[in-house]
Amino acid sequence: MGETVARVDERDRTVGLVDRWRAVREGWLHRVAVTVCRDEHGRVLVHRRAERLARYPGWYEVVVGGAVRAGESYARAAGRELTEELGVLVPVRPLFRFLNRSGLSPHWLGVHEALVPDAVVPDAQEVAWYGWLTVPELWSVLREWPFTPDSHEVLGRAAVPGEGCGGLIGYRSPGGSARCGTCSGGTRRRSR
């Protein structure tokens, strides 16, 4: 058995313990914690997933995170993942959580934010590349690079004032919508 996670219901209540990969394979609800990382200049950390990863190899993300282990809180998992993937130990601030049905399997997604130093030490097994982008640069590359479904879901909600975070990213699509509006179901080609 690999990593043990809580299997949860539609209201995020624990109903049992399961292996994480089985939860994904069977489509069982479980918990995932992610963090949007910013630096002191307000830039957002974007990273490209390593090619060796089973899910979305070589795709880009605007969040750092992973599964919430059994008995672990969303915030604790978010902090642990920052340390594991970026080599930083910083406080995380919970923003919102929601039932996310995009991607490979449904899961409750706890979204956090953190102020992270410019210099991080990414785990090469997880992160192939990273960079700090301004918000306009981020919205530009969202149209060109393949981003994970979780990234689009988080940005779509973070851009909507009143949906839990007060417009964390501060974006309005060219059509005037407050939602991201750039997700095309993962069909974009990577240009980087």
Side-chain angles (χ1 to χ4, degrees), residues 8-19:
V8 297
D9 66 14
E10 299 280 332
R11 295 176 67 191
D12 198 16
R13 296 177 301 201
T14 300
V15 296
L17 301 180
V18 296
D19 177 77

Side-chain angles (χ1 to χ4, degrees), residues 5-175:
V5 299
R7 182 177 175 186
V8 297
D9 66 14
E10 299 280 332
R11 295 176 67 191
D12 198 16
R13 296 177 301 201
T14 300
V15 296
L17 301 180
V18 296
D19 177 77
R20 175 185 180 203
W21 296 112
R22 183 165 184 211
V24 171
R25 186 176 59 251
E26 301 290 338
W28 293 338
L29 288 174
H30 57 287
R31 296 177 179 132
V32 173
V34 297
T35 304
V36 175
C37 300
R38 290 195 161 218
D39 69 4
E40 63 185 16
H41 308 290
R43 297 177 301 175
V44 179
L45 183 126
V46 173
H47 68 95
R48 186 166 41 87
R49 295 170 58 83
E51 293 290 339
R52 67 169 281 288
L53 295 175
R55 294 181 322 275
Y56 302 105
W59 286 45
Y60 291 84
E61 291 194 289
V62 295
V63 293
V64 174
V68 176
R69 295 176 180 159
E72 191 175 40
S73 69
Y74 282 102
R76 186 176 191 105
R80 174 181 50 78
E81 291 287 344
L82 282 177
T83 302
E84 290 175 5
E85 294 185 23
L86 298 181
V88 297
L89 181 59
V90 296
V92 299
R93 184 175 75 89
L95 295 175
F96 55 94
R97 77 183 157 87
F98 64 97
L99 180 53
N100 185 5
R101 295 197 179 276
S102 71
L104 298 177
S105 70
H107 53 275
W108 276 94
L109 191 61
V111 181
H112 304 76
E113 71 175 346
L115 182 63
V116 175
D118 287 348
V120 298
V121 183
D123 177 355
Q125 298 294 312
E126 302 267 345
V127 178
W129 170 90
Y130 79 94
W132 292 98
L133 303 182
T134 65
V135 171
E137 289 168 337
L138 172 60
W139 298 117
S140 177
V141 299
L142 277 167
R143 295 178 181 95
E144 300 170 17
W145 302 349
F147 277 81
T148 61
D150 281 358
S151 291
H152 283 288
E153 290 294 327
V154 167
L155 288 174
R157 282 169 174 76
V160 180
E163 284 205 16
C165 67
L168 169 71
I169 303 298
Y171 170 75
R172 289 193 93 59
S173 70

